[in-house]
Amino acid sequence: TQSTWENHGNMKNIINKKGKPLTSLSILVGIACVGGIVTCGTGIVLNIIMQRQYKKKPYIIKSLELINQYEPAKKYLGDQIIYKQAKFYGDKIPFTRINPDKLRMKLEIKGPKGNGCLFIWSKRLYTSDDETNDEWLIRRLDLEIFKPNKKWKIYEIED
């Protein structure tokens, strides 16, 4: 009888479109590529969904209302300053921190004249024993404009 190693040559191989057999390495590379594409695609879709959810949060809506009333922001960014995206990663030291009762968040914003970042500090307002309340108090807002490179503290209240 032939050993398993000798039988290996008699096994049917998977054939590609050109009629050549695929090696186990090329099959594994193909599987890895498909897995990588699926993983990247999933990450992109989840980021889009998360950004859409954050766009509707009350502390972001209120922050954008306040920034659209601030004259230096209008001067450098234009009249309609809008949310571009929440910045969760990509910085050397991530600024965004979200806890159940307080948050600080970095938003990328844009207007007709330029781009910038809005930094938000906020805390959740609880009424009586209701822990599901989604009302937030904006404690501080800072604005950073890229061109020219300027930064302002535009809003702050004491606790």
Side-chain angles (χ1 to χ4, degrees):
T1 64
Q2 293 180 328
S3 71
T4 319
W5 293 106
E6 292 170 354
N7 273 336
H8 185 272
N10 297 332
M11 293 175 58
K12 290 188 177 181
N13 291 317
I14 300 172
I15 307 297
N16 68 11
K17 290 181 181 179
K18 295 180 181 179
K20 294 184 179 178
L22 292 174
T23 63
S24 59
L25 179 60
S26 63
I27 293 170
L28 290 175
V29 169
I31 291 170
C33 287
V34 170
I37 291 168
V38 168
T39 302
C40 289
T42 302
I44 290 168
V45 168
L46 289 176
N47 186 40
I48 291 169
I49 291 169
M50 188 172 59
Q51 293 293 345
R52 285 184 183 161
Q53 289 174 346
Y54 274 99
K55 192 175 190 175
K56 299 173 187 173
K57 296 288 185 181
Y59 47 85
I60 291 182
I61 293 170
K62 181 67 175 169
S63 297
L64 289 172
E65 288 172 4
L66 290 168
I67 196 74
N68 274 296
Q69 297 170 6
Y70 188 63
E71 288 304 319
K74 289 181 183 181
K75 177 181 175 185
Y76 291 106
L77 298 178
D79 282 332
Q80 289 295 322
I81 301 167
I82 61 171
Y83 169 94
K84 190 174 174 184
Q85 71 175 356
K87 192 79 171 156
F88 295 105
Y89 47 82
D91 296 334
K92 288 182 181 178
I93 301 172
F95 181 80
T96 299
R97 298 264 190 266
I98 301 173
N99 298 320
D101 59 340
K102 64 182 178 177
L103 67 86
R104 67 178 198 198
M105 181 175 276
K106 179 179 180 181
L107 298 182
E108 290 183 359
I109 56 175
K110 65 180 179 177
K113 295 181 183 178
N115 298 327
C117 285
L118 184 62
F119 299 87
I120 304 169
W121 287 261
S122 185
K123 78 175 193 179
R124 188 184 299 269
L125 296 175
Y126 291 107
T127 55
S128 64
D129 294 330
D130 183 21
E131 291 190 20
T132 61
N133 188 12
D134 202 26
E135 290 186 45
W136 291 79
L137 173 67
I138 304 217
R139 296 175 43 232
R140 179 176 164 185
L141 288 177
D142 286 1
L143 173 65
E144 179 181 11
I145 295 177
F146 301 141
K147 290 182 184 176
N149 190 9
K150 294 191 176 213
K151 226 177 182 180
W152 295 275
K153 183 189 297 184
I154 61 171
Y155 180 82
E156 184 171 32
I157 61 170
E158 297 295 323
D159 284 336

